[in-house]
Amino acid sequence: MTASKPPLSTFLTSQLWSGNQVLIAVLGICSALGVTNRLSVAITMGLSVCFVTAFSSFFVSLLRKITPDSVRMITQLAIISVFVIIIDQFLQAYFFSISKVLSVFVGLIITNCIVMGRTEGMAKNVEPLPAFLDGLGAGMGYAIVLFIVAFIRELFGFGQLFGYQIIPLSWYATSVHPDGYDNFVLMVSPPAAFFIIGGLIYLSKKLQKADS
Amino acid sequence: MWMGEYSVLNLIGLLIQAIFIENFLLVNFLGMCTYLACSNKLKTANGLGIAVVFVLTVSGVLNWFVHAFVTGPGALSWLSFFGLDAAAINLEFLQFLLFISVIAGFTQILEILIEKLSPALYMSLGLYLPLIAVNCAILGACLFAVTRDYPFIPNFIYVLGSALGWWLAIALIAAIREKLATANVVPALKGMGITFIMSGLMSMAFMGFTGIKLASPSPATGPGQPFALMDSTGLGQSPIQGAPTEEKE
Amino acid sequence: MSESKLRSRTQGVSYTLLFMVALSLVCAIILSILASALKEPQEMAKELDRSKQMLIAARILNPYVYFQLQDQEGRFVPAKATRDGILEPSHEKHTPNQQEILDVYRNRIQAFLVNDRGDLLTFEQAGMNEQKYVQDFRKSGYYREPLKLIYKIFSNSRGDNRFVEGYVIPVNGMGLWDAIYGYLAVQPDGNIVIGISWYDQKETPGLGANIAEAEWQSQFPGKRLFQQSPNGETNFNTAPLGIIVVKGKVKEVLDSTPKALSAVDGMAGATLTGNGVTNAYQDVLTAYRPFLVRLHQEFAKITK
């Protein structure tokens, strides 16, 4: 234990902003585009990734000394798959309607670059507890970005948040007053997610440059 | 099981559908990570693309067997050959694990083979192979194919088409990125930011293919319909969802 | 010192094999335990989802998930479930729990089979297993089978007072992207729609996916399956069968012609999904035509 060892909490916090996996490392994009239509779905996805990343990092780190080098990747994949399957089974049992919407995207958490990135990049080199916090932080950073994107998309694409109508129905255009408000339908399509994430990357780069 | 109710015409339609209309990268958004994070040259994109075509096609076929004989519903009925009545056992929960193992295992074997058989090929292609094992598109295509329950040959065509479409999209994006590298982009948008915006525009362009149905992708609409072309010649009947129509709502 | 020894030991082939076998075993065991433990909640979740959708189509459950009853004037009032699956009116909208929904479902909805001549059979009479049948033909469509699936909706009463309030037909079709699955509930006259629902669709969110939204579905109650001819009469043997999703608003396209009684507004920007819905109703109902015609004849006899 040397004096220069960083406090445990930095493993968590560095992943939230300065090392945010989506905005800085640009990983985990696939699912960020496909599931951020609705807030409920995005949050479920974000929490699932948190769970998977944290626990797989923990177990990969736990096994790091006894894992043969030649099967390192496949061991990591196996551990990650186990946790993804746990989440998938759990969702199917208790959150059926959301799991219908997520369908294959839950399985795709296995190939989510964030998870593999953390296990390969960090977990196999550090103790289990820091690895857990690092994974948790990465997952949380991802969840926060997903939340922001889904917030914008659902609000402008549906006029709702979590399924509740936020933009008053009276504002909408009808045949009586055709100049009223209309939902920004493009927000519901995937290209909008590209644009929003591009914008967020721009913002985060600007803000981080201002910081340093 | 091998061909189902698909005619050859259906298969051609399915191929075109998988490459353009349901392009894996630009419509389903799978497989971006590995690409975005590592390359912005057309040559590397081509290398990645060819590797994906190969890995996805073979893994897709292998995983079809896994689904048909291990994890699908009623899949274990072949065990009755050995006197075991296992048709009711449902191993669906092992699907993810088995699929990714097949993909990773195949990629590993492929890497070893290429290294032994052709060092030149290994130099250009072999470096991408470990990356490809964790490419969302590979697992995604296998999972999509399984949810749609294709027979063997349509499954093969589907995974082949998806891979070719992915390669096409990657090559397109790489070509544009090469140009963007020398363009005068706002500093904070340089690199990832502008790539995202550009990909968004491209995906909007590919949305133009929506609604063109060249084959019934599933037997649900009947085997007697090789073509189900949408008649979009009427006024305001654009197949593009969201396109302005003649009528005011 | 011991670390390097550990390292060299872990590189051997036999160790690698042992490690992989052990890892696979542990993973398989964990997952198998989990899967069997969660199997029941999963089955229940699936059944609950299907039941909910059918109850919504039959208008026993409101799309905002509270029970409802029709009062004397035909208006819908909130209701809550009692112990044996019977509903009674209540003042507030009470969200039922899983068990209540399943109880009401099991009490009021029952599956039957209908053949090409329109005869109704129970699963026992046909010698088929309900679970297996429902699972096997879900994707290909029950309407394609010689014995087609149909559900009876029983009234909200006990024992001898029960009568058939309507029928639910499972509907299969092709939307824009993928297959769509839903239910259509029809009154005992075989013509007037009670309600619909779409429980499985992969249409474009915000556009085609609106078919699953309560607002769009609320147009269906009261529509007629058999198209009325211009002179006001309906020839049940030859009239076109099904609900048409028009492009635009029914009021503007069809005004008050009899055709409008069998048509609903389309969704802006989702014409192809609407076409898929129209085709689905047409294809499926054609298979049930003999049954619906017979229903109408018997209903006409009773109400004469």
Side-chain angles (χ1 to χ4, degrees), chain B residues 10 18 20 26 36 43 83 88 126 138 175 241:
Chain B
N10 285 139
F20 295 104
L26 291 172
L36 280 179
K43 223 167 73 167
I138 312 255
Q241 288 210 344

PDB file of all heavy atoms in Angstrom, chain B residues 10 18 20 26 36 43 83 88 126 138 175 241:
ATOM      1  N   ASN B  10     -37.857 -15.211 -53.841  1.00  0.00           N
ATOM      2  CA  ASN B  10     -37.896 -14.716 -52.462  1.00  0.00           C
ATOM      3  C   ASN B  10     -36.494 -14.502 -51.933  1.00  0.00           C
ATOM      4  O   ASN B  10     -36.221 -13.539 -51.234  1.00  0.00           O
ATOM      5  CB  ASN B  10     -38.585 -15.725 -51.533  1.00  0.00           C
ATOM      6  CG  ASN B  10     -40.086 -15.722 -51.710  1.00  0.00           C
ATOM      7  OD1 ASN B  10     -40.697 -16.750 -51.706  1.00  0.00           O
ATOM      8  ND2 ASN B  10     -40.650 -14.556 -51.828  1.00  0.00           N
ATOM      9  N   ALA B  18     -31.767  -7.397 -47.134  1.00  0.00           N
ATOM     10  CA  ALA B  18     -30.787  -7.398 -46.048  1.00  0.00           C
ATOM     11  C   ALA B  18     -29.667  -6.400 -46.319  1.00  0.00           C
ATOM     12  O   ALA B  18     -29.097  -5.833 -45.398  1.00  0.00           O
ATOM     13  CB  ALA B  18     -30.224  -8.800 -45.851  1.00  0.00           C
ATOM     14  N   PHE B  20     -29.765  -3.514 -48.428  1.00  0.00           N
ATOM     15  CA  PHE B  20     -30.094  -2.093 -48.508  1.00  0.00           C
ATOM     16  C   PHE B  20     -31.182  -1.659 -47.553  1.00  0.00           C
ATOM     17  O   PHE B  20     -31.059  -0.685 -46.860  1.00  0.00           O
ATOM     18  CB  PHE B  20     -30.546  -1.759 -49.944  1.00  0.00           C
ATOM     19  CG  PHE B  20     -29.468  -1.934 -50.951  1.00  0.00           C
ATOM     20  CD1 PHE B  20     -29.454  -3.024 -51.796  1.00  0.00           C
ATOM     21  CD2 PHE B  20     -28.447  -1.017 -51.043  1.00  0.00           C
ATOM     22  CE1 PHE B  20     -28.449  -3.198 -52.717  1.00  0.00           C
ATOM     23  CE2 PHE B  20     -27.438  -1.181 -51.963  1.00  0.00           C
ATOM     24  CZ  PHE B  20     -27.437  -2.274 -52.807  1.00  0.00           C
ATOM     25  N   LEU B  26     -26.828   1.135 -40.894  1.00  0.00           N
ATOM     26  CA  LEU B  26     -27.499   2.426 -40.999  1.00  0.00           C
ATOM     27  C   LEU B  26     -28.961   2.384 -40.618  1.00  0.00           C
ATOM     28  O   LEU B  26     -29.563   3.415 -40.413  1.00  0.00           O
ATOM     29  CB  LEU B  26     -27.352   2.963 -42.425  1.00  0.00           C
ATOM     30  CG  LEU B  26     -25.925   3.364 -42.731  1.00  0.00           C
ATOM     31  CD1 LEU B  26     -25.775   3.707 -44.197  1.00  0.00           C
ATOM     32  CD2 LEU B  26     -25.516   4.558 -41.889  1.00  0.00           C
ATOM     33  N   LEU B  36     -15.935   2.901 -35.359  1.00  0.00           N
ATOM     34  CA  LEU B  36     -15.691   4.295 -34.994  1.00  0.00           C
ATOM     35  C   LEU B  36     -14.412   4.471 -34.201  1.00  0.00           C
ATOM     36  O   LEU B  36     -13.696   5.443 -34.379  1.00  0.00           O
ATOM     37  CB  LEU B  36     -16.845   4.825 -34.145  1.00  0.00           C
ATOM     38  CG  LEU B  36     -18.102   5.255 -34.872  1.00  0.00           C
ATOM     39  CD1 LEU B  36     -19.114   5.720 -33.854  1.00  0.00           C
ATOM     40  CD2 LEU B  36     -17.782   6.365 -35.840  1.00  0.00           C
ATOM     41  N   LYS B  43      -9.177   1.833 -46.625  1.00  0.00           N
ATOM     42  CA  LYS B  43      -8.510   0.534 -46.704  1.00  0.00           C
ATOM     43  C   LYS B  43      -8.824  -0.324 -45.482  1.00  0.00           C
ATOM     44  O   LYS B  43      -9.146  -1.505 -45.602  1.00  0.00           O
ATOM     45  CB  LYS B  43      -6.985   0.736 -46.827  1.00  0.00           C
ATOM     46  CG  LYS B  43      -6.361  -0.183 -47.848  1.00  0.00           C
ATOM     47  CD  LYS B  43      -4.951   0.206 -48.216  1.00  0.00           C
ATOM     48  CE  LYS B  43      -3.992  -0.123 -47.083  1.00  0.00           C
ATOM     49  NZ  LYS B  43      -2.582  -0.049 -47.522  1.00  0.00           N
ATOM     50  N   GLY B  83     -32.943 -42.565 -27.379  1.00  0.00           N
ATOM     51  CA  GLY B  83     -33.890 -43.058 -26.382  1.00  0.00           C
ATOM     52  C   GLY B  83     -34.194 -42.069 -25.281  1.00  0.00           C
ATOM     53  O   GLY B  83     -34.775 -42.425 -24.270  1.00  0.00           O
ATOM     54  N   ALA B  88     -39.216 -31.632 -24.417  1.00  0.00           N
ATOM     55  CA  ALA B  88     -39.845 -30.596 -23.594  1.00  0.00           C
ATOM     56  C   ALA B  88     -38.836 -29.719 -22.878  1.00  0.00           C
ATOM     57  O   ALA B  88     -39.181 -28.704 -22.305  1.00  0.00           O
ATOM     58  CB  ALA B  88     -40.764 -31.259 -22.575  1.00  0.00           C
ATOM     59  N   GLY B 126      -5.869 -10.241 -40.273  1.00  0.00           N
ATOM     60  CA  GLY B 126      -5.881 -10.944 -38.994  1.00  0.00           C
ATOM     61  C   GLY B 126      -5.997 -10.039 -37.787  1.00  0.00           C
ATOM     62  O   GLY B 126      -6.487 -10.432 -36.742  1.00  0.00           O
ATOM     63  N   ILE B 138     -22.425  -8.873 -35.470  1.00  0.00           N
ATOM     64  CA  ILE B 138     -22.369 -10.321 -35.647  1.00  0.00           C
ATOM     65  C   ILE B 138     -23.406 -10.996 -34.741  1.00  0.00           C
ATOM     66  O   ILE B 138     -24.265 -11.749 -35.199  1.00  0.00           O
ATOM     67  CB  ILE B 138     -20.977 -10.864 -35.325  1.00  0.00           C
ATOM     68  CG1 ILE B 138     -19.914 -10.053 -36.017  1.00  0.00           C
ATOM     69  CG2 ILE B 138     -20.924 -12.341 -35.634  1.00  0.00           C
ATOM     70  CD1 ILE B 138     -19.314 -10.706 -37.190  1.00  0.00           C
ATOM     71  N   ALA B 175     -15.178   6.387 -46.574  1.00  0.00           N
ATOM     72  CA  ALA B 175     -14.844   7.255 -47.697  1.00  0.00           C
ATOM     73  C   ALA B 175     -15.133   8.711 -47.349  1.00  0.00           C
ATOM     74  O   ALA B 175     -14.330   9.605 -47.623  1.00  0.00           O
ATOM     75  CB  ALA B 175     -15.640   6.826 -48.930  1.00  0.00           C
ATOM     76  N   GLN B 241     -42.083   6.813 -44.898  1.00  0.00           N
ATOM     77  CA  GLN B 241     -42.913   7.205 -43.769  1.00  0.00           C
ATOM     78  C   GLN B 241     -42.497   8.578 -43.298  1.00  0.00           C
ATOM     79  O   GLN B 241     -41.332   8.843 -43.090  1.00  0.00           O
ATOM     80  CB  GLN B 241     -42.749   6.199 -42.635  1.00  0.00           C
ATOM     81  CG  GLN B 241     -43.421   4.884 -42.967  1.00  0.00           C
ATOM     82  CD  GLN B 241     -43.911   4.178 -41.719  1.00  0.00           C
ATOM     83  OE1 GLN B 241     -43.506   4.515 -40.622  1.00  0.00           O
ATOM     84  NE2 GLN B 241     -44.773   3.215 -41.865  1.00  0.00           N
TER      85      GLN B 241
END
